[in-house]
Amino acid sequence: MAAVELEWVPETLYNTAISAVVDNYSRARRDIRSLPENIQFDVYYKLYQQGRLCQLGSEFCELEVFAKVLRALDKRHLLHHCFQALMDHGVKVASVLAYSFSRRCSYIAESDAQVKEKAIQIGFVLDAGWYSDAEKVFLSCLQLCTLHNEMLHWFRAVECCVRLLHVRNGNCKYHLGEETFKLAQSYMEKLAKHGQHANKAALYGELCALLFAKSHYDEAYKWCIEAMKEITSGLPVKVIVDVLRQASKACVVKREFKKAEQLIKHAVYLARENFGSKHPKYSDTLLDYGFYLLNVDNICQSVAIYQTALDIRQSVFGGKNIHVATAHEDLAYSSYVHQYSSGKFDNALFHAERAIDIITHILPEDHLLLASSKRVKALILEEIAIDCHNKETEQKLLQEAHDLHLSSLQLAKKAFGEFNVQTAKHYGNLGRLYQSMRKFKEAEEMHIKAIQIKEQLLGQEDYEVALSVGHLASLYNYDMNQYENAEKLYLRSIAIGKKLFGEGYSGLEYDYRGLIKLYNSVGNFEKVFEYHNILANWNRLRDRQFSVTDALEDVNASPLSTEEVVQSFLMSQTTTEGPSC
């Protein structure tokens, strides 16, 4: 990526001087390290631009050098380019730095407090997004903090725990993440006993992310309220943005869409105003905005937003990065939903396969992050198989989808157990696949399992329940001739969809078409005529309701301040009782 595309355009004379230094790199290497960090970074970035990655790697693998260029804060996004290029080139810079930092911490374990404080600061800025290596760094930081029973180190320990929890969440180490949260709480209690207060917004926000990932939606929602209560004017913008993001996602799954909309739009606004439109934090907010849009049935706009987020992450991180993989997966699923009626799944399949390729390149083949990517690819392959006119190819695609779904199910059960929304989703996906494979009894069993788990966890009238109910109705209607059961299930699915999303909800189309087929089959032509009219009205409503507009137009300026957004959210809560620990 050319520097000019990232709005980094040094003056011509300055750029010429940098090029001259790089041309004489071998002789000037020692002198380069004595330059101010901004100039030193520009020299290294020029090495990157010229493809001299071996020389760049030899520099960045030295802890003191890397720590110094990290202090060039305004160029941190450019540093991601260099770092990712080295990792892709086979230079294990993340592992080398993590090992060096851990050794440094062990050497200074008995040194004075100022030296330790400096080491901890280096550790805080060394999180390169490579989870295992970042975890080693923050564990070393935490070990330093625990050596002295002093309040300054207790504050640092809380910060270490927040960073460590973030990394463990990203790496799906949820059990260890829960232990990290409890450790942070213990340090906060120590501080409280000495009359000191550590802001809990970031910690509670990370706990919300953990609970959300585990599909513990009620608890996630409660803790996001606690995190919002901790937002103050003096907090770093990054913390505020992250709390708003997590709170918005918690509201989405609780189907409180008005709250979710206000929170995520303000997060997008803050991220763009404070970090710029090409910063990773802005892409984070866009992914969550896309999640909101997809869940409120604004599918076309969600695809556009996910594409923008992916473009930013690719420009910042390059190709083989876990953050890029998650963006590919999100875009794959939204594209699959968007193109479901047309049957054109090439773009969705491309992004799903890219996500899987990147994750398997970086992480073990049994990593939980693969579960959702494999699930998305399996859904796409099933639809391609259904539309395929070659029987042999159809069977091959369905078998591949089956293997992917089973792998995803096993990963989910291993991580979350049987009684979990994610596990239920995989059962439901298998139910649909078995229907396509004409294994109807197995399909029925899977759908009933999914419905039972979802109802117990989410309630009788949740969107996820409606999906599974509609799929079981389709099975009874099209393949098992159980028309009376199918009719009841279709009507239940329609009622939930209308209640949550209104008369123009996209999912209603499949239920309406199912009922038209059902009433034709039983000879109730009055109902056939009725639902043809309902479907026609639905089409007209969709045309009016979901015309394509720029989803970012209405977040160009926030009408409310952060304080007003927070207060509006908190005032809307009907209870002030905090969650149990």
Side-chain angles (χ1 to χ4, degrees):
M1 176 63 64
V4 67
E5 291 184 52
L6 289 157
E7 299 177 357
W8 177 62
V9 189
E11 295 297 325
T12 302
L13 182 60
Y14 174 75
N15 198 29
T16 302
I18 293 294
S19 298
V21 172
V22 171
D23 290 341
N24 294 278
Y25 167 78
S26 297
R27 292 197 302 272
R29 184 181 179 189
R30 288 183 177 274
D31 295 327
I32 290 169
R33 296 187 179 188
S34 64
L35 294 170
E37 55 262 21
N38 280 344
I39 300 175
Q40 187 176 346
F41 174 84
D42 290 343
V43 171
Y44 294 149
Y45 195 77
K46 181 67 72 173
L47 285 175
Y48 156 74
Q49 288 180 308
Q50 293 182 1
R52 296 162 67 173
L53 298 180
C54 290
Q55 292 171 321
L56 180 63
S58 69
E59 296 290 339
F60 276 14
C61 281
E62 293 193 28
L63 185 61
E64 290 294 344
V65 172
F66 191 74
K68 183 179 177 184
V69 296
L70 274 167
R71 295 199 294 269
L73 297 178
D74 60 325
K75 297 175 181 178
R76 182 72 63 82
H77 58 300
L78 299 176
L79 181 60
H80 285 304
H81 282 188
C82 305
F83 199 92
Q84 186 66 47
L86 292 173
M87 296 292 290
D88 291 344
H89 191 62
V91 181
K92 304 297 184 184
V93 61
S95 298
V96 171
L97 289 172
Y99 175 76
S100 299
F101 182 79
S102 297
R103 284 180 59 85
R104 170 70 58 85
C105 289
S106 64
Y107 290 154
I108 66 170
E110 301 303 324
S111 301
D112 64 80
Q114 284 189 336
V115 176
K116 289 177 187 172
E117 180 70 9
K118 181 181 178 183
I120 292 169
Q121 288 172 345
I122 293 173
F124 276 155
V125 295
L126 205 54
D127 177 10
W130 298 84
Y131 297 132
S132 295
D133 297 313
E135 185 176 12
K136 291 175 186 175
V137 168
F138 295 132
L139 282 171
S140 297
C141 284
L142 192 56
Q143 188 176 11
L144 279 179
C145 294
T146 59
L147 290 174
H148 289 276
N149 199 28
E150 301 170 359
M151 275 192 290
L152 173 62
H153 290 282
W154 296 343
F155 277 109
R156 282 297 188 189
V158 171
E159 293 182 64
C160 285
C161 287
V162 172
R163 302 291 185 103
L164 185 58
L165 178 53
H166 175 76
V167 167
R168 285 174 165 170
N169 280 345
N171 207 15
C172 305
K173 293 185 176 182
Y174 303 126
H175 178 68
L176 290 175
E178 289 166 351
E179 293 180 359
T180 306
F181 175 75
K182 291 176 182 176
L183 182 60
Q185 280 190 313
S186 70
Y187 280 107
M188 287 184 167
E189 288 169 3
K190 285 185 178 182
L191 288 166
K193 288 178 181 178
H194 288 76
Q196 299 294 317
H197 170 74
N199 187 277
K200 304 178 183 70
L203 179 64
Y204 289 171
E206 289 297 340
L207 179 62
C208 179
L210 186 156
L211 294 165
F212 182 92
K214 294 181 69 176
S215 302
H216 295 175
Y217 297 140
D218 288 341
E219 284 296 298
Y221 185 77
K222 291 175 184 176
W223 281 105
C224 88
I225 295 172
E226 298 305 303
M228 292 288 286
K229 290 176 183 177
E230 292 286 322
I231 290 181
T232 61
S233 58
L235 275 183
V237 175
K238 176 185 177 298
V239 173
I240 296 173
V241 167
D242 286 341
V243 170
L244 292 173
R245 288 172 49 219
Q246 295 302 332
S248 173
K249 289 167 66 177
C251 288
V252 166
V253 293
K254 294 293 290 181
R255 311 304 170 197
E256 297 191 9
F257 297 123
K258 289 289 186 184
K259 296 177 188 176
E261 179 182 19
Q262 185 178 65
L263 293 170
I264 192 55
K265 284 185 175 180
H266 193 67
V268 171
Y269 168 76
L270 285 179
R272 187 177 58 237
E273 290 299 303
N274 289 273
F275 304 110
S277 61
K278 297 177 181 179
H279 193 279
K281 186 52 59 182
Y282 182 57
S283 74
D284 292 346
T285 63
L286 290 183
L287 288 180
D288 293 329
Y289 188 27
F291 176 74
Y292 160 76
L293 290 169
L294 189 63
N295 276 272
V296 296
D297 203 36
N298 208 335
I299 300 164
C300 185
Q301 288 191 359
S302 76
V303 172
I305 292 297
Y306 279 136
Q307 182 66 64
T308 303
L310 173 61
D311 292 343
I312 295 169
R313 288 192 169 190
Q314 284 183 317
S315 73
V316 172
F317 297 109
K320 294 177 180 178
N321 183 280
I322 205 68
H323 300 307
V324 175
T326 56
H328 273 298
E329 182 193 321
D330 287 339
L331 181 55
Y333 182 70
S334 62
S335 299
Y336 157 77
V337 175
H338 182 49
Q339 297 297 339
Y340 190 83
S341 297
S342 72
K344 298 175 182 178
F345 296 109
D346 290 350
N347 190 51
L349 182 60
F350 167 78
H351 290 295
E353 289 180 335
R354 282 297 296 144
I356 292 171
D357 288 345
I358 294 170
I359 294 171
T360 52
H361 177 79
I362 298 171
L363 299 171
E365 291 188 357
D366 63 346
H367 199 282
L368 181 60
L369 280 177
L370 278 167
S372 55
S373 295
K374 287 183 175 181
R375 167 183 167 268
V376 172
K377 183 179 179 182
L379 292 172
I380 297 166
L381 290 179
E382 180 186 349
E383 295 304 319
I384 294 173
I386 291 171
D387 294 336
C388 181
H389 301 295
N390 183 297
K391 206 67 180 174
E392 184 180 344
T393 303
E394 177 189 354
Q395 293 303 314
K396 183 180 177 182
L397 290 171
L398 289 175
Q399 186 58 49
E400 184 180 354
H402 181 255
D403 294 342
L404 289 167
H405 274 318
L406 280 182
S407 175
S408 297
L409 175 62
Q410 293 307 315
L411 288 171
K413 288 176 73 173
K414 181 180 177 182
F416 305 122
E418 176 83 1
F419 194 64
N420 185 274
V421 173
Q422 298 305 317
T423 305
K425 285 183 179 181
H426 294 304
Y427 280 135
N429 295 149
L430 273 171
R432 294 184 60 195
L433 180 64
Y434 285 140
Q435 183 179 358
S436 299
M437 298 174 81
R438 305 196 66 75
K439 297 180 178 181
F440 303 133
K441 291 307 292 182
E442 292 93 333
E444 181 182 29
E445 180 185 345
M446 291 296 104
H447 284 314
I448 290 173
K449 266 190 176 183
I451 292 170
Q452 288 174 342
I453 295 172
K454 289 179 179 180
E455 283 181 336
Q456 290 183 61
L457 291 172
L458 303 173
Q460 297 281 326
E461 297 187 335
D462 188 79
Y463 160 74
E464 283 291 337
V465 174
L467 279 181
S468 291
V469 165
H471 292 152
L472 182 57
S474 173
L475 174 66
Y476 286 157
N477 181 26
Y478 288 93
D479 297 302
M480 298 182 76
N481 299 329
Q482 295 186 26
Y483 298 124
E484 186 176 345
N485 288 334
E487 181 184 25
K488 291 176 183 177
L489 292 170
Y490 276 133
L491 294 175
R492 181 183 173 194
S493 177
I494 289 169
I496 297 172
K498 284 183 176 180
K499 181 178 179 181
L500 290 174
F501 305 111
E503 299 283 343
Y505 169 47
S506 63
L508 295 175
E509 176 185 9
Y510 309 107
D511 292 336
Y512 291 152
R513 292 189 185 281
L515 282 173
I516 291 170
K517 185 269 176 192
L518 185 153
Y519 291 129
N520 258 317
S521 298
V522 300
N524 189 339
F525 301 113
E526 183 179 343
K527 283 288 187 182
V528 171
F529 180 74
E530 177 186 340
Y531 274 92
H532 268 302
N533 284 333
I534 290 173
L535 183 60
N537 288 332
W538 174 88
N539 275 309
R540 286 191 288 272
L541 187 60
R542 290 289 294 180
D543 290 340
R544 292 197 306 270
Q545 188 172 348
F546 293 105
S547 59
V548 178
T549 57
D550 184 354
L552 292 176
E553 279 183 2
D554 56 351
V555 293
N556 284 334
S558 179
L560 299 176
S561 67
T562 298
E563 183 180 357
E564 289 171 327
V565 170
V566 172
Q567 289 304 312
S568 173
F569 173 81
L570 294 177
M571 288 177 66
S572 68
Q573 306 309 314
T574 58
T575 178
T576 58
E577 182 180 346
S580 58
C581 296

